[in-house]
Amino acid sequence: SSGINAEYGGSVLAATASSGFTGPPSSNGAAINGGSADANSLPGLTPTQNKVFNALKQCSPENQTGLSLRDIQKDLPLSMNEIRSAIDFLSNEGHIFSTVDDEHYKLTDHC
């Protein structure tokens, strides 16, 4: 087994070091997800999830009810199914929470 590691592992490491590989194309994951890299993107989110997250980011911290799904849909060219799917993911990941009902959401932390 050590012969395999030395034979194959060494050549792979040498090839990686000589190729100039420095890691993923974007530190924020946007290029991996197919979006453009910008300061408003969160790592690991799809472009749709980032759009919904950024829409919620516009909500004032003083607004206790947050944004409704309908408000988000008015601002974004997304279907309600796409919005709900993004909301479910963001909520499950702890980025947002529901406020007065299952139709209103806010960010967990205003950065």
Side-chain angles (χ1 to χ4, degrees), residues 42-109:
L42 281 182
L45 298 187
T46 66
T48 299
Q49 292 162 351
N50 263 309
K51 287 176 187 175
V52 172
F53 179 82
N54 287 325
L56 288 164
K57 204 174 192 179
Q58 303 308 311
C59 182
S60 165
E62 292 80 31
N63 179 339
Q64 297 299 309
T65 58
L67 287 181
S68 72
L69 298 181
R70 297 277 175 218
D71 290 337
I72 295 169
Q73 188 178 34
K74 287 179 200 171
D75 292 340
L76 299 176
L78 299 171
S79 72
M80 189 55 75
N81 284 342
E82 290 173 305
I83 292 170
R84 285 187 191 279
S85 177
I87 289 288
D88 287 345
F89 178 84
L90 293 168
S91 180
N92 288 337
E93 291 296 311
H95 296 296
I96 63 173
F97 64 97
S98 61
T99 58
V100 295
D101 58 25
D102 288 341
E103 299 286 315
H104 292 81
Y105 290 86
K106 286 186 71 162
L107 296 182
T108 53
D109 185 24

